[in-house]
Amino acid sequence: MTSTPIPAPGAPAPVPQAEGSLEDAGLQKGRLVEPSDGKAGEPMIAIDAVSKWYGSFQVLTDCTTRVSKGEVVVVCGPSGSGKSTLIKCVNALEPFQKGQISVDGTKVKDRATNLPKLRSRVGMVFQHFELFPHLSISDNLTLAQRKVLGRAPEDARKRGLDLLARVGLSAHAEKYPGQLSGGQQQRVAIARALAMNPIVMLFDEPTSALDPEMVGEVLDVMVELARDGMTMMVVSHEMGFARKVADRVIFMDRGEIVEDATKDDFFGQPRSPRAQQFLSKILSH
């Protein structure tokens, strides 16, 4: 069960949202992704022989894969297999000791790389939303645009409110995170990441902290992102989402990439016994 953030002093008390409230209109028509000048199929993320240790414990071992522009890759596997660590290495939220990662040609592990600038181009959505509880939804959407991208307040607000409308939450712009359900907060978090015009979106188990009935509204936004052509790396146990949206599935176990296959091959004929065992448990319920 997730905890509800507490609004800042002076903020309105949380207001229970009625199920099926007319204030939450659901996903609205329109593109979530800004059109890209790049060509589909070009490498966007390149992970080459990446290894990482926590002290003497090796959490990633020689991980290598590619994510092309416009591709959706779902990363799955048992708990503790290194999934979240791997995608956090993509934008250097986690340092790695061996190998190299490039995002649109920029090397992550390079002293010349401006990591704050790189991170501004890589959208990240976490398991627990990470919204600022003391700021209104509209301020959550505009703060990074103004501080990191240098956008004028009116431009940042227009971009933020447009995306808030796309995820069906226009009526909640002046509320605080604590007044929204978990699913609504996660949709705001996705809109906040998109407001930065990222070239890549990373999702770290975005639905695992949600009540089951809220999962669908977040997955709907992610499905729409995939249809709009956003490059996505998604750590998730939602196999239905993977079957519907993924171009490829990466299966990890004990810090290694055990399978890297198309979704049809992964679900239809996984090569490794470990992936077969994992799927037999996941898909039998």
PDB file of all heavy atoms in Angstrom, residues 3-32:
ATOM      1  N   SER A   3       1.869   5.278   0.442  1.00  0.00           N
ATOM      2  CA  SER A   3       1.541   6.391   1.322  1.00  0.00           C
ATOM      3  C   SER A   3       1.226   7.612   0.504  1.00  0.00           C
ATOM      4  O   SER A   3       1.723   7.775  -0.598  1.00  0.00           O
ATOM      5  CB  SER A   3       2.715   6.674   2.264  1.00  0.00           C
ATOM      6  OG  SER A   3       3.858   7.004   1.527  1.00  0.00           O
ATOM      7  N   THR A   4       0.375   8.469   1.044  1.00  0.00           N
ATOM      8  CA  THR A   4      -0.028   9.680   0.334  1.00  0.00           C
ATOM      9  C   THR A   4       0.813  10.847   0.803  1.00  0.00           C
ATOM     10  O   THR A   4       0.903  11.111   2.005  1.00  0.00           O
ATOM     11  CB  THR A   4      -1.510   9.987   0.611  1.00  0.00           C
ATOM     12  OG1 THR A   4      -2.280   8.869   0.185  1.00  0.00           O
ATOM     13  CG2 THR A   4      -1.953  11.234  -0.134  1.00  0.00           C
ATOM     14  N   PRO A   5       1.487  11.564  -0.107  1.00  0.00           N
ATOM     15  CA  PRO A   5       2.296  12.704   0.306  1.00  0.00           C
ATOM     16  C   PRO A   5       1.468  13.737   1.044  1.00  0.00           C
ATOM     17  O   PRO A   5       0.286  13.930   0.760  1.00  0.00           O
ATOM     18  CB  PRO A   5       2.819  13.257  -1.028  1.00  0.00           C
ATOM     19  CG  PRO A   5       2.721  12.110  -1.988  1.00  0.00           C
ATOM     20  CD  PRO A   5       1.537  11.336  -1.542  1.00  0.00           C
ATOM     21  N   ILE A   6       2.098  14.421   1.995  1.00  0.00           N
ATOM     22  CA  ILE A   6       1.409  15.450   2.775  1.00  0.00           C
ATOM     23  C   ILE A   6       1.669  16.811   2.160  1.00  0.00           C
ATOM     24  O   ILE A   6       2.813  17.192   1.916  1.00  0.00           O
ATOM     25  CB  ILE A   6       1.911  15.439   4.229  1.00  0.00           C
ATOM     26  CG1 ILE A   6       1.649  14.045   4.848  1.00  0.00           C
ATOM     27  CG2 ILE A   6       1.235  16.529   5.039  1.00  0.00           C
ATOM     28  CD1 ILE A   6       2.244  13.884   6.223  1.00  0.00           C
ATOM     29  N   PRO A   7       0.616  17.573   1.832  1.00  0.00           N
ATOM     30  CA  PRO A   7       0.819  18.898   1.257  1.00  0.00           C
ATOM     31  C   PRO A   7       1.595  19.807   2.198  1.00  0.00           C
ATOM     32  O   PRO A   7       1.616  19.600   3.413  1.00  0.00           O
ATOM     33  CB  PRO A   7      -0.616  19.414   1.051  1.00  0.00           C
ATOM     34  CG  PRO A   7      -1.476  18.194   1.041  1.00  0.00           C
ATOM     35  CD  PRO A   7      -0.799  17.234   1.963  1.00  0.00           C
ATOM     36  N   ALA A   8       2.260  20.801   1.643  1.00  0.00           N
ATOM     37  CA  ALA A   8       3.024  21.755   2.431  1.00  0.00           C
ATOM     38  C   ALA A   8       2.101  22.575   3.324  1.00  0.00           C
ATOM     39  O   ALA A   8       0.900  22.661   3.085  1.00  0.00           O
ATOM     40  CB  ALA A   8       3.782  22.683   1.484  1.00  0.00           C
ATOM     41  N   PRO A   9       2.668  23.154   4.374  1.00  0.00           N
ATOM     42  CA  PRO A   9       1.851  24.025   5.227  1.00  0.00           C
ATOM     43  C   PRO A   9       1.159  25.102   4.403  1.00  0.00           C
ATOM     44  O   PRO A   9       1.775  25.734   3.548  1.00  0.00           O
ATOM     45  CB  PRO A   9       2.891  24.636   6.183  1.00  0.00           C
ATOM     46  CG  PRO A   9       3.995  23.631   6.238  1.00  0.00           C
ATOM     47  CD  PRO A   9       4.058  23.035   4.862  1.00  0.00           C
ATOM     48  N   GLY A  10      -0.113  25.248   4.634  1.00  0.00           N
ATOM     49  CA  GLY A  10      -0.874  26.249   3.886  1.00  0.00           C
ATOM     50  C   GLY A  10      -1.530  25.692   2.641  1.00  0.00           C
ATOM     51  O   GLY A  10      -2.407  26.316   2.053  1.00  0.00           O
ATOM     52  N   ALA A  11      -1.088  24.493   2.202  1.00  0.00           N
ATOM     53  CA  ALA A  11      -1.701  23.873   1.028  1.00  0.00           C
ATOM     54  C   ALA A  11      -3.033  23.267   1.431  1.00  0.00           C
ATOM     55  O   ALA A  11      -3.228  22.870   2.572  1.00  0.00           O
ATOM     56  CB  ALA A  11      -0.788  22.788   0.465  1.00  0.00           C
ATOM     57  N   PRO A  12      -3.993  23.164   0.505  1.00  0.00           N
ATOM     58  CA  PRO A  12      -5.298  22.578   0.824  1.00  0.00           C
ATOM     59  C   PRO A  12      -5.145  21.140   1.282  1.00  0.00           C
ATOM     60  O   PRO A  12      -4.237  20.432   0.855  1.00  0.00           O
ATOM     61  CB  PRO A  12      -6.048  22.646  -0.518  1.00  0.00           C
ATOM     62  CG  PRO A  12      -5.325  23.683  -1.316  1.00  0.00           C
ATOM     63  CD  PRO A  12      -3.899  23.618  -0.874  1.00  0.00           C
ATOM     64  N   ALA A  13      -6.015  20.691   2.167  1.00  0.00           N
ATOM     65  CA  ALA A  13      -5.995  19.303   2.621  1.00  0.00           C
ATOM     66  C   ALA A  13      -6.370  18.391   1.468  1.00  0.00           C
ATOM     67  O   ALA A  13      -7.070  18.796   0.540  1.00  0.00           O
ATOM     68  CB  ALA A  13      -6.993  19.129   3.780  1.00  0.00           C
ATOM     69  N   PRO A  14      -5.883  17.132   1.485  1.00  0.00           N
ATOM     70  CA  PRO A  14      -6.224  16.195   0.415  1.00  0.00           C
ATOM     71  C   PRO A  14      -7.723  16.055   0.243  1.00  0.00           C
ATOM     72  O   PRO A  14      -8.481  15.982   1.214  1.00  0.00           O
ATOM     73  CB  PRO A  14      -5.584  14.880   0.881  1.00  0.00           C
ATOM     74  CG  PRO A  14      -4.456  15.316   1.771  1.00  0.00           C
ATOM     75  CD  PRO A  14      -4.958  16.544   2.455  1.00  0.00           C
ATOM     76  N   VAL A  15      -8.138  16.014  -1.001  1.00  0.00           N
ATOM     77  CA  VAL A  15      -9.555  15.876  -1.323  1.00  0.00           C
ATOM     78  C   VAL A  15      -9.778  14.515  -1.939  1.00  0.00           C
ATOM     79  O   VAL A  15      -9.177  14.215  -2.979  1.00  0.00           O
ATOM     80  CB  VAL A  15     -10.013  16.971  -2.308  1.00  0.00           C
ATOM     81  CG1 VAL A  15     -11.476  16.766  -2.672  1.00  0.00           C
ATOM     82  CG2 VAL A  15      -9.808  18.346  -1.711  1.00  0.00           C
ATOM     83  N   PRO A  16     -10.581  13.635  -1.345  1.00  0.00           N
ATOM     84  CA  PRO A  16     -10.809  12.321  -1.930  1.00  0.00           C
ATOM     85  C   PRO A  16     -11.385  12.458  -3.334  1.00  0.00           C
ATOM     86  O   PRO A  16     -12.287  13.261  -3.586  1.00  0.00           O
ATOM     87  CB  PRO A  16     -11.824  11.681  -0.972  1.00  0.00           C
ATOM     88  CG  PRO A  16     -11.684  12.444   0.308  1.00  0.00           C
ATOM     89  CD  PRO A  16     -11.335  13.844  -0.100  1.00  0.00           C
ATOM     90  N   GLN A  17     -10.852  11.667  -4.271  1.00  0.00           N
ATOM     91  CA  GLN A  17     -11.339  11.715  -5.644  1.00  0.00           C
ATOM     92  C   GLN A  17     -12.380  10.623  -5.840  1.00  0.00           C
ATOM     93  O   GLN A  17     -12.125   9.449  -5.607  1.00  0.00           O
ATOM     94  CB  GLN A  17     -10.165  11.491  -6.622  1.00  0.00           C
ATOM     95  CG  GLN A  17      -9.139  12.605  -6.575  1.00  0.00           C
ATOM     96  CD  GLN A  17      -9.741  13.925  -7.005  1.00  0.00           C
ATOM     97  OE1 GLN A  17     -10.455  14.012  -7.997  1.00  0.00           O
ATOM     98  NE2 GLN A  17      -9.468  14.962  -6.252  1.00  0.00           N
ATOM     99  N   ALA A  18     -13.558  11.028  -6.253  1.00  0.00           N
ATOM    100  CA  ALA A  18     -14.612  10.054  -6.498  1.00  0.00           C
ATOM    101  C   ALA A  18     -14.245   9.180  -7.685  1.00  0.00           C
ATOM    102  O   ALA A  18     -13.675   9.639  -8.660  1.00  0.00           O
ATOM    103  CB  ALA A  18     -15.936  10.782  -6.783  1.00  0.00           C
ATOM    104  N   GLU A  19     -14.549   7.882  -7.564  1.00  0.00           N
ATOM    105  CA  GLU A  19     -14.234   6.984  -8.663  1.00  0.00           C
ATOM    106  C   GLU A  19     -15.012   7.417  -9.903  1.00  0.00           C
ATOM    107  O   GLU A  19     -16.203   7.697  -9.858  1.00  0.00           O
ATOM    108  CB  GLU A  19     -14.613   5.552  -8.275  1.00  0.00           C
ATOM    109  CG  GLU A  19     -14.125   4.526  -9.268  1.00  0.00           C
ATOM    110  CD  GLU A  19     -14.351   3.120  -8.766  1.00  0.00           C
ATOM    111  OE1 GLU A  19     -14.575   2.964  -7.562  1.00  0.00           O
ATOM    112  OE2 GLU A  19     -14.308   2.195  -9.584  1.00  0.00           O
ATOM    113  N   GLY A  20     -14.327   7.523 -11.026  1.00  0.00           N
ATOM    114  CA  GLY A  20     -14.986   7.958 -12.256  1.00  0.00           C
ATOM    115  C   GLY A  20     -15.275   9.444 -12.270  1.00  0.00           C
ATOM    116  O   GLY A  20     -16.162   9.899 -12.975  1.00  0.00           O
ATOM    117  N   SER A  21     -14.535  10.225 -11.469  1.00  0.00           N
ATOM    118  CA  SER A  21     -14.775  11.660 -11.391  1.00  0.00           C
ATOM    119  C   SER A  21     -14.693  12.320 -12.752  1.00  0.00           C
ATOM    120  O   SER A  21     -13.832  12.008 -13.561  1.00  0.00           O
ATOM    121  CB  SER A  21     -13.736  12.299 -10.454  1.00  0.00           C
ATOM    122  OG  SER A  21     -13.794  13.702 -10.550  1.00  0.00           O
ATOM    123  N   LEU A  22     -15.601  13.239 -13.031  1.00  0.00           N
ATOM    124  CA  LEU A  22     -15.593  13.950 -14.297  1.00  0.00           C
ATOM    125  C   LEU A  22     -14.381  14.852 -14.426  1.00  0.00           C
ATOM    126  O   LEU A  22     -14.046  15.294 -15.528  1.00  0.00           O
ATOM    127  CB  LEU A  22     -16.878  14.777 -14.447  1.00  0.00           C
ATOM    128  CG  LEU A  22     -18.177  13.974 -14.561  1.00  0.00           C
ATOM    129  CD1 LEU A  22     -19.371  14.915 -14.609  1.00  0.00           C
ATOM    130  CD2 LEU A  22     -18.153  13.081 -15.790  1.00  0.00           C
ATOM    131  N   GLU A  23     -13.704  15.134 -13.299  1.00  0.00           N
ATOM    132  CA  GLU A  23     -12.522  15.981 -13.347  1.00  0.00           C
ATOM    133  C   GLU A  23     -11.345  15.284 -14.016  1.00  0.00           C
ATOM    134  O   GLU A  23     -10.411  15.917 -14.467  1.00  0.00           O
ATOM    135  CB  GLU A  23     -12.122  16.411 -11.923  1.00  0.00           C
ATOM    136  CG  GLU A  23     -13.076  17.408 -11.289  1.00  0.00           C
ATOM    137  CD  GLU A  23     -12.531  17.927  -9.977  1.00  0.00           C
ATOM    138  OE1 GLU A  23     -11.605  17.300  -9.434  1.00  0.00           O
ATOM    139  OE2 GLU A  23     -13.018  18.956  -9.497  1.00  0.00           O
ATOM    140  N   ASP A  24     -11.376  13.957 -14.040  1.00  0.00           N
ATOM    141  CA  ASP A  24     -10.294  13.189 -14.645  1.00  0.00           C
ATOM    142  C   ASP A  24     -10.820  12.616 -15.955  1.00  0.00           C
ATOM    143  O   ASP A  24     -11.476  11.585 -15.985  1.00  0.00           O
ATOM    144  CB  ASP A  24      -9.852  12.074 -13.690  1.00  0.00           C
ATOM    145  CG  ASP A  24      -8.615  11.357 -14.180  1.00  0.00           C
ATOM    146  OD1 ASP A  24      -8.264  11.544 -15.354  1.00  0.00           O
ATOM    147  OD2 ASP A  24      -8.026  10.597 -13.404  1.00  0.00           O
ATOM    148  N   ALA A  25     -10.537  13.318 -17.040  1.00  0.00           N
ATOM    149  CA  ALA A  25     -11.146  12.966 -18.327  1.00  0.00           C
ATOM    150  C   ALA A  25     -10.423  11.845 -19.054  1.00  0.00           C
ATOM    151  O   ALA A  25     -10.857  11.425 -20.119  1.00  0.00           O
ATOM    152  CB  ALA A  25     -11.190  14.213 -19.222  1.00  0.00           C
ATOM    153  N   GLY A  26      -9.305  11.352 -18.497  1.00  0.00           N
ATOM    154  CA  GLY A  26      -8.567  10.308 -19.192  1.00  0.00           C
ATOM    155  C   GLY A  26      -7.676  10.882 -20.287  1.00  0.00           C
ATOM    156  O   GLY A  26      -7.653  12.079 -20.542  1.00  0.00           O
ATOM    157  N   LEU A  27      -6.951  10.020 -20.948  1.00  0.00           N
ATOM    158  CA  LEU A  27      -6.001  10.432 -21.978  1.00  0.00           C
ATOM    159  C   LEU A  27      -6.713  11.158 -23.113  1.00  0.00           C
ATOM    160  O   LEU A  27      -7.691  10.669 -23.669  1.00  0.00           O
ATOM    161  CB  LEU A  27      -5.278   9.196 -22.519  1.00  0.00           C
ATOM    162  CG  LEU A  27      -4.080   9.422 -23.419  1.00  0.00           C
ATOM    163  CD1 LEU A  27      -2.967  10.121 -22.652  1.00  0.00           C
ATOM    164  CD2 LEU A  27      -3.579   8.095 -23.972  1.00  0.00           C
ATOM    165  N   GLN A  28      -6.221  12.349 -23.445  1.00  0.00           N
ATOM    166  CA  GLN A  28      -6.843  13.173 -24.475  1.00  0.00           C
ATOM    167  C   GLN A  28      -6.117  13.022 -25.811  1.00  0.00           C
ATOM    168  O   GLN A  28      -4.959  12.627 -25.870  1.00  0.00           O
ATOM    169  CB  GLN A  28      -6.821  14.644 -24.040  1.00  0.00           C
ATOM    170  CG  GLN A  28      -7.546  14.899 -22.732  1.00  0.00           C
ATOM    171  CD  GLN A  28      -9.016  14.559 -22.799  1.00  0.00           C
ATOM    172  OE1 GLN A  28      -9.767  15.186 -23.528  1.00  0.00           O
ATOM    173  NE2 GLN A  28      -9.442  13.548 -22.055  1.00  0.00           N
ATOM    174  N   LYS A  29      -6.794  13.364 -26.887  1.00  0.00           N
ATOM    175  CA  LYS A  29      -6.208  13.256 -28.213  1.00  0.00           C
ATOM    176  C   LYS A  29      -5.091  14.278 -28.399  1.00  0.00           C
ATOM    177  O   LYS A  29      -5.125  15.362 -27.848  1.00  0.00           O
ATOM    178  CB  LYS A  29      -7.278  13.465 -29.291  1.00  0.00           C
ATOM    179  CG  LYS A  29      -8.314  12.338 -29.350  1.00  0.00           C
ATOM    180  CD  LYS A  29      -9.318  12.588 -30.460  1.00  0.00           C
ATOM    181  CE  LYS A  29     -10.340  11.452 -30.541  1.00  0.00           C
ATOM    182  NZ  LYS A  29     -11.329  11.683 -31.606  1.00  0.00           N
ATOM    183  N   GLY A  30      -4.113  13.907 -29.205  1.00  0.00           N
ATOM    184  CA  GLY A  30      -2.981  14.790 -29.457  1.00  0.00           C
ATOM    185  C   GLY A  30      -1.679  14.065 -29.184  1.00  0.00           C
ATOM    186  O   GLY A  30      -1.637  13.067 -28.464  1.00  0.00           O
ATOM    187  N   ARG A  31      -0.599  14.547 -29.778  1.00  0.00           N
ATOM    188  CA  ARG A  31       0.701  13.903 -29.603  1.00  0.00           C
ATOM    189  C   ARG A  31       1.312  14.221 -28.241  1.00  0.00           C
ATOM    190  O   ARG A  31       1.246  15.363 -27.782  1.00  0.00           O
ATOM    191  CB  ARG A  31       1.674  14.357 -30.703  1.00  0.00           C
ATOM    192  CG  ARG A  31       1.361  13.798 -32.080  1.00  0.00           C
ATOM    193  CD  ARG A  31       2.416  14.241 -33.074  1.00  0.00           C
ATOM    194  NE  ARG A  31       3.739  13.767 -32.701  1.00  0.00           N
ATOM    195  CZ  ARG A  31       4.239  12.592 -33.067  1.00  0.00           C
ATOM    196  NH1 ARG A  31       3.519  11.766 -33.794  1.00  0.00           N
ATOM    197  NH2 ARG A  31       5.458  12.233 -32.712  1.00  0.00           N
ATOM    198  N   LEU A  32       1.876  13.200 -27.623  1.00  0.00           N
ATOM    199  CA  LEU A  32       2.627  13.398 -26.391  1.00  0.00           C
ATOM    200  C   LEU A  32       4.088  13.688 -26.694  1.00  0.00           C
ATOM    201  O   LEU A  32       4.799  14.277 -25.892  1.00  0.00           O
ATOM    202  CB  LEU A  32       2.544  12.141 -25.513  1.00  0.00           C
ATOM    203  CG  LEU A  32       1.214  11.906 -24.793  1.00  0.00           C
ATOM    204  CD1 LEU A  32       1.104  10.458 -24.348  1.00  0.00           C
ATOM    205  CD2 LEU A  32       1.074  12.823 -23.600  1.00  0.00           C
TER     206      LEU A  32
END
